[in-house]
């Protein structure tokens, strides 16, 4: 058993009902600090709704959420984000008509309490150059700092999005299908990047690519029809007959 200090995010009986439909029902999670934890399941299993509940983007119908021991069930998304839990969305969220460096500088400006204004002078933004370049180097984008974000490949846009997420100094990162839309050549580098990021942070990810989940994740929670079907290591859940059935004939290995 883990001590309470080992758990960074915990839910108990988390549920969401829409007009009588239970999108999430009685989900209990214990996310260990400095781990990579995956939330997987067939389409419609409730994974994205669960992410929305954890970040308080939508209110829960029942249950409670604790982050770093503090009850955040009734918190607003901005408060949750500033407390260190940051979500990176499935669709790449970068400012295409800004340079790669400026995307990160604006994110750093936001973290340090500056207003989120694009007309800031270069003098104001320049104070963030050193840290911005460190973050770009961390995601292998230092060669592209002058490029417009719109001109990056999809995989590099995802890397830039991760850099801007890291600029907010999160303690817990929620990644929503980080491999979605990536070409085969981009999956390996992004997988390695997430592994590096997780050395100093906690990562909770929704992901359909089971090869990536097997390589990265310490623990996996499987959802089906909004409920927890199984939980454990990749080996444990991939050999669970209920999980095989949920993925129609063992597709959890795909």
């Amino acid at each position: 058993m883990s001590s309470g200090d080992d758990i960074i995010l915990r839910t108990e009986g988390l549920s969401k009902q829409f007009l009588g439909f239970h999108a999430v029902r009685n989900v209990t999670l214990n996310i260990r600090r400095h781990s990579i934890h995956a939330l997987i399941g067939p389409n419609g299993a409730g994974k994205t709704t669960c992410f929305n509940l954890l970040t308080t983007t939508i209110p829960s119908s029942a249950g409670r959420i604790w982050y770093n021991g503090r009850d955040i069930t009734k918190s607003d998304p901005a408060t949750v984000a500033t407390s260190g839990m940051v979500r990176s969305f499935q669709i790449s969220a970068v400012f295409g008509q800004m340079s790669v460096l400026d995307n990160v500088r604006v994110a750093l400006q936001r973290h340090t309490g500056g207003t989120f204004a694009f007309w800031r002078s270069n003098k104001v933004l320049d104070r963030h150059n050193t840290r911005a370049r460190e973050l770009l180097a961390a995601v292998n984008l230092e060669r592209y700092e002058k490029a417009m974000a719109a001109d990056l490949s999809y995989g590099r846009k995802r890397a830039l999005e991760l850099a801007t997420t890291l600029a907010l100094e999160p303690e817990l990162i929620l990644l929503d299908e980080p491999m979605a839309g990536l070409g085969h050549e981009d999956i390996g580098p992004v997988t390695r990047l997430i592994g590096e990021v997780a050395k100093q942070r906690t990562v909770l990810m929704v992901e359909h690519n089971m090869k990536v989940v097997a390589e990265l994740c310490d623990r996996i929670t499987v959802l089906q029809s909004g409920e927890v079907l199984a939980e454990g290591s990749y080996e444990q859940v991939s050999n669970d007959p209920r999980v095989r059935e949920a993925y129609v004939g063992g597709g959890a290995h795909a």
Side-chain angles (χ1 to χ4, degrees):
M1 290 291 290
S2 302
S3 70
D5 289 343
D6 287 339
I7 304 301
I8 188 171
L9 181 68
R10 180 167 69 92
T11 72
E12 195 174 273
L14 193 61
S15 302
K16 182 63 181 180
Q17 188 173 346
F18 296 101
L19 300 176
F21 169 70
H22 288 272
V24 171
R25 187 199 297 260
N26 198 32
V27 168
T28 295
L29 296 171
N30 288 284
I31 310 302
R32 294 191 63 177
R33 201 176 302 276
H34 300 144
S35 71
I36 305 180
H37 193 124
L39 201 58
I40 70 170
N43 289 333
K47 304 181 297 295
T48 297
T49 301
C50 197
F51 258 32
N52 289 336
L53 292 171
L54 294 175
T55 54
T56 68
T57 306
I58 59 174
S60 59
S61 301
R64 295 174 72 187
I65 308 164
W66 292 268
Y67 172 62
N68 272 329
R70 186 170 64 87
D71 190 333
I72 63 166
T73 311
K74 302 298 184 183
S75 293
D76 61 277
T79 300
V80 171
T82 55
S83 70
M85 188 198 306
V86 176
R87 177 178 180 178
S88 185
F89 285 88
Q90 180 178 353
I91 299 172
S92 183
V94 299
F95 300 107
Q97 300 311 309
M98 294 172 61
S99 72
V100 168
L101 183 65
D102 281 346
N103 266 271
V104 182
R105 294 198 305 176
V106 167
L108 285 166
Q109 171 189 294
R110 189 177 187 185
H111 173 66
T112 54
T115 56
F116 203 32
F118 302 111
W119 54 88
R120 287 277 186 176
S121 69
N122 281 334
K123 184 177 180 180
V124 173
L125 289 175
D126 280 349
R127 71 183 64 167
H128 300 300
N129 283 351
T130 299
R131 180 56 179 154
R133 290 190 172 112
E134 288 174 353
L135 289 168
L136 289 178
V139 298
N140 298 316
L141 287 179
E142 62 268 37
R143 291 174 295 167
Y144 303 96
E145 69 168 60
K146 295 181 180 178
M148 291 297 102
D151 295 332
L152 295 178
S153 68
Y154 187 78
R156 291 189 181 115
K157 284 179 182 175
R158 299 310 297 268
L160 177 56
E161 182 189 22
L162 192 51
T164 59
T165 299
L166 293 175
L168 300 174
E169 296 294 338
E171 189 176 3
L172 170 60
I173 303 175
L174 279 67
L175 298 176
D176 196 351
E177 297 190 33
M179 304 302 159
L182 292 186
H184 180 73
E185 70 281 2
D186 290 321
I187 290 177
V190 173
T191 300
R192 289 190 292 274
L193 176 59
I194 293 170
E196 284 298 313
V197 164
K199 289 180 180 178
Q200 298 178 346
R201 296 171 177 83
T202 306
V203 174
L204 176 61
M205 61 191 292
V206 167
E207 183 52 56
H208 285 291
N209 187 318
M210 290 300 108
K211 184 177 179 181
V212 170
V213 169
E215 181 176 339
L216 279 179
C217 297
D218 303 297
R219 195 160 185 83
I220 300 162
T221 300
V222 185
L223 293 182
Q224 183 183 32
S225 301
E227 299 185 72
V228 174
L229 179 66
E231 186 171 297
S233 67
Y234 178 78
E235 182 179 6
Q236 289 171 324
V237 299
S238 63
N239 288 311
D240 190 314
R242 298 170 301 169
V243 175
R244 289 175 174 269
E245 179 64 26
Y247 275 88
V248 188
H253 287 285

